[in-house]
Amino acid sequence: MGSLLAGVAHELNNPLAVLTGHAHLLREGAKDESLASRAEKIQAAADRCARIVKNFLALARQQPPERGAVSVNMVIQDALEMLAYELRTDSVEVTCEFAAGLPPLWADSHQLHQVLVNLIANAHHAMRKQPKPAPRRIRLASQLDREHQRVRLTVADTGPGIAPEIREKIFEPFFTTKPAGEGTGLGLSLCRGIIEEHGGTISIQSEPGQGATFVIELPLVERATAEAARPAMETLPLVGARRVLVVDDEVEIAHMLKEILTTSGHEVDMAFDGAEGLDVLRHGRYDLILSDTKMPTLDGTGFYRQLTSEFPDLCHRIIFLTGDVLDRAKREFLESTGAPFLMKPFDVADVRRLVHRVLAVGEQGGAK
Ligand SMILES: Nc1ncnc2c1ncn2[C@@H]1O[C@H](COP(=O)(O)OP(=O)(O)OP(=O)(O)O)[C@@H](O)[C@H]1O
Ligand SMILES: [Mg+2]
């Protein structure tokens, strides 16, 4: 059952990436209000599908966390950004109380992101059905508990709360009170799995009629680490137009990435498998490569191997695209390259941010 779910979920990622990407571009380019609002609706629906797929994949193949230094406040902010449109449309007010000077956590930022997205989406859902005069507020907070060496994250809403008789059940897989077709009931079981894998706890405080408050506590794991949380975009120098090569056998995805990066001012060429990619590289100079991992003829692994001998400079200027990092072999390969990767379906803003980061870091290092 698990592998069937994962297989189906995985297959959905390519078309979903096309859908979310084009919806984003459509909205960006829309000249009139109603078209923009339609595009936003398509995007919000596609994002929702993407979340469901992510949950399925993560649950079907539970993985130990892949840890790095993580800024908790940044994780909260990113999750919020992802849901901002849906929240705004339903007039949900969001307040954040971020603890200053939180040390970075030694954690899996993708997994924590998933937890936050699920909790915020749940809070949003719970309040959506409430009649209008009732307040719709989500409060997000981070706190440092120095004494116990823990970080506490709170997601509180002003929804109907959770009845005591189902309070224990809500963390079970497939438990949902949503109508058929609206919820899978996987969100909270996934959240609990992830938090416990991190050595933390997740609990609820809820009085009926008083809203629901989810509290996560994560241990501060000491790690004398040089890897600070990733630098914020603002601290990176601006980069001008660069030459980018996109390598992906999914023609629609390649075209979409081209469009995304062309609108950021870069010059983009495409190749549709690794062998073709190498051929293009032999005939021109490129500053950055975006490459799929699963391709016919020469896949991402073979492509990268060839890069190391023929174009070693580009090994630090490659971003991989993948529909599934949960496959062990692929995960180990990605780890061994140390290259960043984007999970399909990707967020257009994430694509741009990462491209900017890789280009900017390359420039700071003086390797041009
Ligand atoms: N903030 C909340 N307020 C009230 N009820 C909640 C809240 N969060 C979760 N619940 C209850 O817990 C149930 C299980 O949540 P869970 O996130 O696991 O699944 P779901 O939201 O129903 O489906 P999915 O997450 O797959 O869309 C929900 O159906 C709802 O009844
Ligand atoms: Mg949910």
Side-chain angles (χ1 to χ4, degrees):
M1 185 65 184
S3 64
L4 179 67
L5 281 182
V8 171
H10 190 185
E11 280 309 306
L12 283 172
N13 276 340
N14 278 314
L16 269 178
V18 175
L19 196 55
T20 52
H22 278 298
H24 190 110
L25 291 169
L26 187 62
R27 188 181 48 142
E28 255 179 10
K31 300 264 184 317
D32 87 80
E33 277 288 307
S34 78
L35 188 61
S37 126
R38 271 181 210 280
E40 281 191 36
K41 282 187 186 142
I42 296 175
Q43 200 186 338
D47 284 345
R48 190 169 133 67
C49 295
R51 281 205 298 283
I52 294 171
V53 169
K54 276 209 178 103
N55 283 349
F56 265 123
L57 270 175
L59 207 79
R61 308 196 189 149
Q62 282 219 340
Q63 286 290 327
E66 197 181 273
R67 295 175 194 251
V70 175
S71 150
V72 170
N73 292 345
M74 191 100 94
V75 171
I76 299 180
Q77 219 146 18
D78 281 351
L80 202 52
E81 234 168 69
M82 183 169 154
L83 298 174
Y85 169 72
E86 293 162 59
L87 293 170
R88 196 159 20 98
T89 321
D90 281 330
S91 322
V92 176
E93 196 187 308
V94 181
T95 58
C96 295
E97 294 160 26
F98 293 138
L102 271 187
L105 282 186
W106 189 244
D108 185 319
S109 65
H110 274 294
Q111 291 189 348
L112 291 188
H113 177 84
Q114 236 171 344
V115 170
L116 263 299
V117 166
N118 272 305
L119 292 180
I120 298 170
N122 278 350
H124 172 203
H125 244 268
M127 294 186 292
R128 212 167 51 172
K129 298 263 154 58
Q130 292 198 299
K132 237 340 194 279
R136 294 176 176 186
R137 267 198 308 274
I138 296 179
R139 189 175 63 87
L140 299 165
S142 60
Q143 284 166 306
L144 177 61
D145 179 350
R146 263 186 214 287
E147 191 191 339
H148 300 101
Q149 285 291 293
R150 298 191 140 234
V151 170
R152 189 177 307 118
L153 298 179
T154 310
V155 179
D157 64 58
T158 55
I162 298 164
E165 57 275 20
I166 65 164
R167 219 166 284 170
E168 278 313 305
K169 290 215 181 81
I170 61 172
F171 290 101
E172 289 171 12
F174 301 109
F175 177 85
T176 180
T177 56
K178 291 177 184 167
E182 271 193 35
T184 57
L186 291 178
L188 285 176
S189 78
L190 186 71
C191 292
R192 173 176 270 181
I194 290 173
I195 296 303
E196 288 180 351
E197 276 289 319
H198 278 83
T201 56
I202 177 167
S203 56
I204 337 163
Q205 298 160 0
S206 176
E207 300 302 322
Q210 301 289 311
T213 300
F214 284 81
V215 180
I216 293 171
E217 292 203 322
L218 288 164
L220 268 179
V221 183
E222 280 297 329
R223 174 96 188 186
T225 171
E227 306 154 86
R230 68 175 150 96
M233 178 90 165
E234 301 72 53
T235 66
L236 293 171
L238 289 174
V239 293
R242 292 287 178 267
R243 292 197 68 194
V244 183
L245 176 65
V246 173
V247 189
D248 197 320
D249 62 313
E250 294 266 345
V251 177
E252 284 294 331
I253 301 241
H255 277 278
M256 193 183 71
L257 285 168
K258 176 173 174 161
E259 206 176 329
I260 291 170
L261 297 178
T262 307
T263 45
S264 312
H266 301 299
E267 198 181 311
V268 184
D269 290 321
M270 293 178 292
F272 302 104
D273 66 50
E276 214 183 304
L278 288 169
D279 207 42
V280 175
L281 290 174
R282 289 181 193 123
H283 293 96
R285 214 189 53 79
Y286 289 86
D287 303 294
L288 178 72
I289 303 171
L290 266 68
S291 171
D292 192 15
T293 40
K294 198 172 128 198
M295 293 179 290
T297 324
L298 189 63
D299 69 358
T301 322
F303 178 61
Y304 184 81
R305 202 172 302 128
Q306 197 58 30
L307 276 189
T308 53
S309 63
E310 252 186 273
F311 306 98
D313 279 359
L314 285 172
C315 292
H316 309 290
R317 290 173 165 245
I318 185 165
I319 296 171
F320 284 107
L321 313 166
T322 172
D324 179 7
V325 276
L326 306 159
D327 167 338
R328 189 174 190 90
K330 198 185 282 181
R331 207 179 166 91
E332 282 170 2
F333 161 68
L334 287 172
E335 264 169 34
S336 73
T337 67
F341 58 84
L342 284 162
M343 291 260 274
K344 292 176 187 175
F346 27 69
D347 183 74
V348 174
D350 282 348
V351 175
R352 292 198 175 124
R353 208 177 296 140
L354 190 57
V355 163
H356 182 128
R357 196 170 100 215
V358 174
L359 286 172
V361 168
E363 237 139 86
Q364 273 174 332
K368 249 224 80 186

